[in-house]
Amino acid sequence: MSLYQMLSPYLFKLDAEKAHNLAESFIKRVLPLPLVQDYVAGKNCVVDKALSVEVAGMRFYNPVGLAAGFDKNATMIKGLSALGFGFLEIGTITQAPQEGNPKPRLFRHTQEQSLQNAMGFNNQGSLVISKRLKAFYPYAIPLGVNIGKNKIIAQSDSLKNYENVLLDCLEVGDYFTFNLSSPNTPNLRDLQNVSFVQELFAMARTHTQKPLFLKISPDMDKDEMLKVVEMSIKSGASGIIATNTTVDYTLVQNPQDSGGISGAALKQKSKEILRILSESFFGKIALISVGGIDNAQEAYERIKLGASLVQVYSGFVFQGPSLCKNINEGLLQCLRADGFTHLYEALGQDIKTKPKTRKKSNADKTQDKQDSKIVIKTKPTQTRKKKLDSSKDTESTQKAPSPKKTESKKTESKPKKTRAKKADSTNATKSKASRTKKTESKLDSTQNLVDKDLPTSQIEPSQAQQDSKANLPKE
């Protein structure tokens, strides 16, 4: 039993949100201290070529990430990376700052090793958070940005609300996740429909060729879920994150009246959603599994069920700061036990019915090229002047060679006279700036691993995406 687990009964006597705030203060202020960070990273960062993966053009030195919701305002990135995560997802971020729902709004179900949260996207807003991220982006590990809708925004204005957050954060994220599945914003889940998903990804693809993900609910009807995911793929999504929290309150003994349940109680439901998605879309799109992952065996099962990456949240709360290290070390043991030398060999091994694919005809390829050209030529909507000015200022101040970050940056689309152009050009400029203070000696070695050639991922872009990328101007 770890020290954290011995202390947790006392920590859990505190209100859950107050305990989280104390943890945030420690991770933000103490872990980044140079000597502390070196020591913590040396203890927790597991660097092994067998764990390195490439997904949607991004390189990860291990497949274990932190799910959105823990670091809502991007205040803990340096400290969290020292705990061994292969990537971090920030947010959920909304355009305007908002306080979230009334307190108390975060609850523990200790017996079920689960949490129930009704937070309501409390965050400081996209402009404040993107400015904070600019201080050290690009970072040693991939950073995702989870995007949500403000509570006061009408459903008819949802698309523009998502677009503004995306544009504010384009230059500070390696990938972006559209959150339509939180149960804590009224009517948000109504946006999980084919029509809105099509509009959402079509809009996003006019601004960027960076990886885009859709985070889905575990409570969706199966047929409707498959239709929504299929449309997201057709409209330019790079992957699916499965799943968000559930409102199935039968999973815990003493549920609250509102909020979504995460953690061990969600394990089977989340795993079943992954199985359904893998049987329909494995090899066509990247899958990230989250929900009830709190040990190496569970993470390994998700990988064998088709998840290229996994994320943790509630398990991190209940198991403590060594969770990421324990999962990665356990994954290496699982691979050796099954005779595998790399995670790619285990990926999808337990999918009983893999989706059938057919070779595209010349007519299909011609149509794909025509469709992709239409998308690329779509002119983005006019965006706010404030962000353009900040991007221009950033452009004029930074000059230095670019580190090898992600392959996806080579294919950024460059629409004329748009906020997206300014954001993407700023991205390139920021890449030219030398990295901020080294996270720690152990993280330096992870970046060296990221820069090396990795085996080709089983998650390949669609033919339409390949053809469209071939037509894009190169840097």
Side-chain angles (χ1 to χ4, degrees), residues 38 41-47 440-447:
D38 290 345
K43 286 283 188 181
N44 291 286
C45 294
V46 179
V47 182
E440 68 295 299
S441 57
K442 198 68 178 269
L443 279 180
D444 287 342
S445 64
T446 71
Q447 184 60 38

Side-chain angles (χ1 to χ4, degrees), residues 26 46 61 117 120 144 247 256 259 326 345 358 375 407 425 439 446:
F26 180 81
V46 179
Y61 84 94
N117 92 80
V247 292
Q256 299 295 318
N326 294 339
E345 298 172 40
R358 65 176 179 87
V375 172
E407 293 179 1
S425 65
T439 304
T446 71

Side-chain angles (χ1 to χ4, degrees), residues 3 26 81 98 145 155 189 235 245 279 290 320 333 365 368 395 407 428-429 437 447 451 455:
L3 176 62
F26 180 81
S81 59
Q98 59 183 31
V145 177
Q155 292 291 86
R189 287 188 169 188
S235 303
T245 57
E279 289 181 353
V290 55
Q333 295 175 5
K365 293 178 181 178
D368 285 342
E395 262 191 292
E407 293 179 1
T429 306
K437 296 180 181 180
Q447 184 60 38
D451 288 340

Side-chain angles (χ1 to χ4, degrees), residues 223-263:
D223 292 337
E224 182 65 19
M225 176 183 70
L226 293 175
K227 290 177 183 177
V228 167
V229 172
E230 184 174 14
M231 179 53 71
S232 72
I233 297 173
K234 291 180 178 179
S235 303
S238 309
I240 301 296
I241 299 181
T243 64
N244 212 318
T245 57
T246 180
V247 292
D248 181 359
Y249 297 152
T250 65
L251 297 177
V252 294
Q253 287 188 4
N254 299 298
Q256 299 295 318
D257 295 332
S258 62
I261 296 171
S262 62

Side-chain angles (χ1 to χ4, degrees), residues 20 162 167 170 210 243 270 315 375 396 409 414 443:
H20 177 86
Y162 278 100
L167 294 172
L170 263 184
K210 286 186 176 183
T243 64
S270 177
V375 172
S396 63
K409 288 184 182 178
K414 301 181 179 179
L443 279 180

Side-chain angles (χ1 to χ4, degrees), residues 20-41:
H20 177 86
N21 292 338
L22 285 175
E24 178 181 7
S25 181
F26 180 81
I27 294 170
K28 178 172 64 175
R29 292 182 171 87
V30 179
L31 290 189
L33 295 174
L35 294 179
V36 176
Q37 194 173 52
D38 290 345
Y39 175 79
V40 174

